[in-house]
Each structure stands twice: as C-alpha cells, then as structure tokens.
Amino acid sequence: MFPSGCEDRMRGIKIIGAGMYVPETVISNDWLSTILDTNDEWIYSRTGIRERRISVDKPNFWMAEQAALAAVRDSGIDPSEIDLVLAATCSPDYYYPALSCLVQHSVGAVNAAAFDINSACTGFINALDTASRFLEDGDYRNILVVASERLAPHCDYTDRTASILFGDGAGAAVVTKSGKPMWSYLSAKGDYFNALYCKTDHSRSNCPLLKDSDAYPEGIIDSEAKTHTLQMNGKAVYKFAVDAMQTAVTKVLEKSGLHTEDIDLYIPHQANARIIESAVKGLKLPEDKVYVNLEKRGNTSSACIPTCLAELKQAGRIKDGMKICLVGFGAGLTSGAIVFEQ
Ligand code: UT7
C-alpha cells in the first residue's frame, strides 16, 4: 500500500503495451579492438558492456516505428484510440518534422497530437512524466511514448573513451491513466552542458552570407575534426551520474513516503555497470530488484529504459500492483526518477 495522503497524486500511469527494436548488426568489444586501441578486458571491466548493436542502414524513425508498432500491438487498443504520441530522441533524422509525427503516421494514430522531447538519455523519464500530466486531463486517455536513438552516426570511432559505450535501438510503451499514485523528480544542471554534447551541422548551407558562428559557448570544442560528433568528458559525467541517480531516487522516495525496500523493481539508465553498482551501493538497494541489460546492448540513451520495460513485460515480469522506479541521467546534464504502481 502507498501511505495515506497520496490521494491528490493519483496521476498514475499503467503500461498497457510495450515494444522494442534492436538492430541486427552486433558490434563486439573484440571488433572495436580492430579499429581502436582497446580490448575486451578493458571495456568489460570499466563498463560491463560486451557488445552493442548499431543500425547500419535503417534511420532512427524506422526503429522508432518498429518499437511503437510492437507496443500498440501489445496493448490491444486500436491506433485510433491513441490521443498523443510523445517521442524522446537526441539523434533525430530530421530537425523537423518531429520524430513523433513520423511515428504517429506509421502506427495510424490518426486522432493523436504529437511532439518530441529531447533531454538526451533522460528523455523517456521526462516523456513519461509529461504523459502522466496529460492523462490527468480528461481529453487524453491513451498515450504512446517512444524513445529511439541512432547514435552510431554521432560517435567518433577514433575516440576510444566514448564510442565504446553507445548502441542504437528503440523502445516504446502505451500508457493509460491508472487511478493509482505516481511521483516524479526531474532535474537539470545546465552549467554542465559541455560535459556531453553533439553540435548541429550547418556547414552545407549555400547562403553566401553565412559563416559558421565562432560564438561557441565556453567549453564547446569547435575544431573541424570534432565539431559534429559526440563529445564527452567521461569522468565528469561519471561523477555526476552516480550522485544524480542517488539524489533522484532519494527525492522521489521522499515525496512518495515509500522506502527503498517497498519498490519491487528498479530500472536504471544503462550507461555503465559501475555507475549502476555505485548508485545501488550508495542507496543500499537490493541488487536482485535492479534490472540491468547493458552487457548486450550498451548505452542506447533514451531507449535504454523502455527497452528494459519491453524485455521485462515480454518475460511476464511486469505485474499489476508492482511498484516500479525508473531512474536516469543524461546530457544537459539532466536527471530524473519516477515511481509508479503498475
Ligand atoms: O548516458 C550518459 C553517457 N555517458 C556516460 O555514462 C559516461 C560516464 N563515464 C564513464 O563511463 C567512464 O568515465 C568511461 C567508461 C568513459 C571511462 O572510464 P574511466 O574508468 O573513467 O577511464 P579513464 O577515462 O580514467 O581512463 C583510464 C585510462 C586512460 O589511460 P591513462 O591515461 O591512464 O594511460 C585512458 O586513456 O584508460 C584509457 N582508456 C582506454 N583504454 C583502453 C580510455 N578508454 C579506453 C579504452 N580502452 N576504450
């Protein structure tokens, strides 16, 4: 049971469908060691990752559609009953239209509004929180939340610190109002914006007046070689991540009146096994309640958490009445946690 006094927080969600897509091409640590000065032992011991998948020829929207279609099928509802499509991505194929509009079209959600959310790896948490607030409004009954990332084109495969971490994939959930409580804690520390970023590319403009701006924010690298690939200060992100995950879980549990042992399932952002282990240790969470799948997936940014949800739902491990805690962090730097009862 949730503590009394939570009646005013009945903006809860129920996951009625979940789906995922992972690309076919597997990139092993051994393969990476043929193009980089690295090896399986280093990568596995420092990150917990053995392999990741990358989308060699399919765009991000295609992966998003596969995951979304699977989630809608799993939910059993007709696509016309979806009132809103929210897509989380930081690696869209197009500046516009929004990824959510492409997904809305392909799943046939003809009655749905659509917009995107970009908070990098925290995207699914922010999108799910947004969904719960729309569901409070009687106009919205079913919301499709999809998170999809194709990060391989962002990665610099001469940078052994960052490129080894990331993979591509998509996850999606159909959520409806549950009448049960839900809490969230969302945060951003924009002063760390330059710890993890990828700059847009306007270099192909043929406007004779345009020059690439030299007014970069302090700390942004603008050298030719590095301008349009993912840039990361691994140590700064690591330190932030361990602290942010603990803070987010502590704050959301404080709001809910629940204790760590009341939660049935924790799904953390899958960035690095050592980050998860440190946060789990700091929070004294029971390890058997913490779901980790990064060994075979790597870090798929916003897609990590919904991919875990889809795997767990397919395995029959998401049960009614379970209390679930999602926690993540990402570029921004952003972080957040959600607790809800399924
Ligand atoms: O969604 C958020 C995404 N980002 C993250 O989650 C990143 C968080 N940070 C991390 O996960 C870790 O900081 C890394 C995995 C990126 C790096 O691990 P680390 O334990 O912090 O390593 P380090 O940067 O301190 O590097 C230690 C050594 C260095 O060599 P020296 O200077 O000690 O000789 C690196 O050059 O390891 C070297 N190194 C590597 N060696 C083999 C760095 N990357 C590699 C590599 N293979 N792939």
Side-chain angles (χ1 to χ4, degrees):
M1 284 294 290
F2 279 95
S4 62
C6 62
E7 296 77 12
D8 61 333
R9 307 313 302 267
M10 297 298 184
R11 65 173 169 97
I13 48 161
K14 184 177 177 69
I15 296 172
I16 58 169
M20 61 187 276
Y21 173 80
V22 286
E24 281 166 23
T25 303
V26 176
I27 301 282
S28 66
N29 292 346
D30 287 336
W31 184 84
L32 282 171
S33 66
T34 66
I35 61 163
L36 288 167
D37 180 15
T38 189
N39 55 74
D40 177 58
E41 199 281 325
W42 192 96
I43 299 174
Y44 188 68
S45 63
R46 299 282 180 135
T47 70
I49 300 167
R50 284 260 191 236
E51 60 187 46
R52 69 293 288 144
R53 307 260 179 139
I54 67 163
S55 177
V56 175
D57 57 356
K58 296 286 195 294
N60 189 8
F61 81 82
W62 190 88
M63 296 194 297
E65 287 170 2
Q66 306 310 305
L69 285 165
V72 175
R73 264 196 310 275
D74 187 46
S75 75
I77 66 166
D78 190 89
S80 64
E81 295 176 81
I82 297 169
D83 304 303
L84 178 62
V85 179
L86 294 175
T89 189
C90 61
S91 53
D93 307 298
Y94 302 97
Y95 293 127
Y96 37 85
L99 172 62
S100 51
C101 293
L102 301 174
V103 172
Q104 183 240 6
H105 170 64
S106 57
V107 303
V110 289
N111 295 314
F115 63 91
D116 284 9
I117 287 175
N118 177 0
S119 46
C121 305
T122 320
F124 186 77
I125 301 241
N126 282 325
L128 205 59
D129 185 63
T130 305
S132 76
R133 295 174 195 278
F134 270 83
L135 288 170
E136 272 190 292
D137 181 323
D139 288 350
Y140 298 84
R141 295 152 305 153
N142 300 303
I143 300 183
L144 170 62
V145 186
V146 55
S148 185
E149 305 285 3
R150 187 175 182 222
L151 292 164
H154 286 204
C155 287
D156 171 0
Y157 285 93
T158 65
D159 173 1
R160 65 178 181 171
T161 309
S163 62
I164 54 145
L165 296 173
F166 296 98
D168 300 337
V174 178
V175 294
T176 193
K177 192 175 168 76
S178 71
K180 293 175 181 172
M182 164 171 167
W183 288 268
S184 59
Y185 170 80
L186 307 179
S187 172
K189 282 182 80 67
D191 47 329
Y192 283 94
F193 69 90
N194 59 8
L196 183 51
Y197 65 89
C198 183
K199 192 177 171 296
T200 51
D201 185 0
H202 294 150
S203 61
R204 286 184 199 88
S205 166
N206 62 3
C207 172
L209 295 176
L210 284 194
K211 293 181 193 153
D212 200 13
S213 168
D214 57 3
Y216 295 101
E218 198 184 333
I220 292 284
I221 299 164
D222 63 349
S223 81
E224 193 59 28
K226 296 192 164 178
T227 296
H228 306 299
T229 53
L230 184 153
Q231 301 298 313
M232 184 180 78
N233 178 340
K235 282 211 176 307
V237 177
Y238 190 105
K239 199 164 168 292
F240 167 82
V242 173
D243 185 52
M245 296 221 322
Q246 294 183 73
T247 302
V249 171
T250 304
K251 294 265 188 199
V252 79
L253 288 176
E254 265 170 28
K255 280 181 165 188
S256 71
L258 295 170
H259 302 285
T260 49
E261 62 273 19
D262 298 325
I263 301 295
D264 300 298
L265 176 64
Y266 291 90
I267 305 181
H269 172 47
Q270 310 282 310
N272 180 325
R274 282 162 57 219
I275 292 175
I276 297 173
E277 279 158 21
S278 299
V280 164
K281 209 169 150 203
L283 288 160
K284 299 190 178 58
L285 304 183
E287 278 176 39
D288 58 336
K289 290 183 174 181
V290 182
Y291 189 68
V292 178
N293 73 355
L294 58 65
E295 183 170 344
K296 286 192 171 295
R297 299 259 186 274
N299 179 351
T300 58
S301 186
S302 67
C304 287
I305 290 175
T307 311
C308 291
L309 272 170
E311 280 181 358
L312 287 159
K313 189 160 185 302
Q314 271 165 25
R317 290 175 58 188
I318 304 281
K319 299 204 167 62
D320 281 3
M322 274 178 100
K323 294 182 189 70
I324 300 173
C325 177
L326 313 177
V327 56
F329 64 91
L333 292 173
T334 53
S335 58
I338 285 176
V339 165
F340 69 100
E341 182 176 327
Q342 168 67 358

